[in-house]
Amino acid sequence: MVKKIFINIILLTMLVAILSGCGGAEQTSDKEPEIPKKNQNDIELSIPPVLQNSEGEVLKSDKDALEDVQNFINKQNTTKQGEVGLSIVEFVKLVESDAPTKYAFMAALVNRSDQEGSDIEMKFTITNKATNVKIYDGDKITLSEEQFGFLKPNHAIPFKITIPDTENITPEMTVQDYDFEWEITNSKMKE
């Protein structure tokens, strides 16, 4: 009887080993594993040194805004292939205590061209739609290579445009309350 139980245990063990081997690594499937793929049209956000701490990490105060920029440029940006465009995403509160203003526009220069560039100088005119007051009128901003790095193809460089305190930004206001005119006036672009 003991011998019969012992043989049953061995047979059961062998059966379990055989059955478990059937569902193992040698089993093939027509279905490929689902690996999230990055959309080829997605723009990668290049975080410039000016928005990083000394260890190269994104400044805590800008982390959420940069996530919003990344989402915006890949879902709502209208820059056409072959062009460099501008996205004004949202207001951000400035945390520097000695800042002359409390708010800025969080923007991104989006490169859908096949050129890369640096030291990009832009001319802005920004008008408050409600008051028709130009808060910037042909003013220039330069995204220097030292502070912002290179604008590579299919990349975007986020940056801030300070808003004068005279604008009295309120929680109800959005960037859609402003008209933006801009152009690149100078840059070091290379193919």
Side-chain angles (χ1 to χ4, degrees):
M1 174 117 175
V2 171
K3 192 174 186 184
K4 191 175 181 181
I5 294 174
F6 181 73
I7 291 175
N8 283 340
I9 291 174
I10 289 177
L11 287 174
L12 185 60
T13 306
M14 288 174 54
L15 183 62
V16 169
I18 290 169
L19 290 176
S20 65
C22 289
E26 291 187 9
Q27 182 178 10
T28 59
S29 171
D30 294 334
K31 192 174 181 181
E32 290 185 24
E34 300 223 0
I35 301 170
K37 294 180 181 174
K38 189 174 179 182
N39 184 339
Q40 287 183 336
N41 293 324
D42 279 357
I43 297 293
E44 191 172 325
L45 199 60
S46 299
I47 309 300
V50 73
L51 297 178
Q52 299 175 19
N53 64 20
S54 59
E55 287 85 42
E57 299 166 337
V58 172
L59 298 173
K60 230 179 200 180
S61 59
D62 293 326
K63 193 171 186 146
D64 290 340
L66 291 173
E67 287 175 11
D68 291 344
V69 169
Q70 181 71 62
N71 288 330
F72 185 90
I73 62 175
N74 284 314
K75 293 178 182 170
Q76 299 177 40
N77 180 269
T78 58
T79 303
K80 293 182 177 119
Q81 195 63 38
E83 295 181 354
V84 175
L86 179 69
S87 288
I88 306 293
V89 181
E90 63 187 25
F91 295 126
V92 290
K93 192 167 185 164
L94 299 175
V95 294
E96 299 97 22
S97 58
D98 60 345
T101 67
K102 294 182 189 93
Y103 293 93
F105 295 106
M106 180 58 88
L109 194 59
V110 179
N111 186 3
R112 288 196 184 271
S113 77
D114 52 359
Q115 296 181 327
E116 71 175 40
S118 65
D119 296 318
I120 301 165
E121 180 184 89
M122 294 172 280
K123 186 167 116 180
F124 280 91
T125 297
I126 302 174
T127 307
N128 182 317
K129 290 178 184 178
T131 63
N132 210 27
V133 172
K134 292 181 180 180
I135 61 172
Y136 287 100
D137 190 6
D139 295 50
K140 291 186 179 181
I141 295 175
T142 301
L143 304 181
S144 69
E145 180 181 339
E146 172 182 287
Q147 291 185 317
F148 292 90
F150 280 93
L151 179 59
K152 298 176 186 169
N154 290 321
H155 281 70
I157 295 178
F159 64 99
K160 297 174 186 174
I161 306 168
T162 57
I163 301 170
D165 277 344
T166 55
E167 279 304 290
N168 296 318
I169 300 299
T170 64
E172 300 82 35
M173 295 175 77
T174 69
V175 296
Q176 284 75 32
D177 293 321
Y178 294 85
D179 279 325
F180 297 87
E181 296 174 34
W182 71 283
E183 67 178 310
I184 294 176
T185 55
N186 196 11
S187 68
K188 293 180 185 172
M189 297 299 278
K190 57 184 172 180
E191 304 224 13

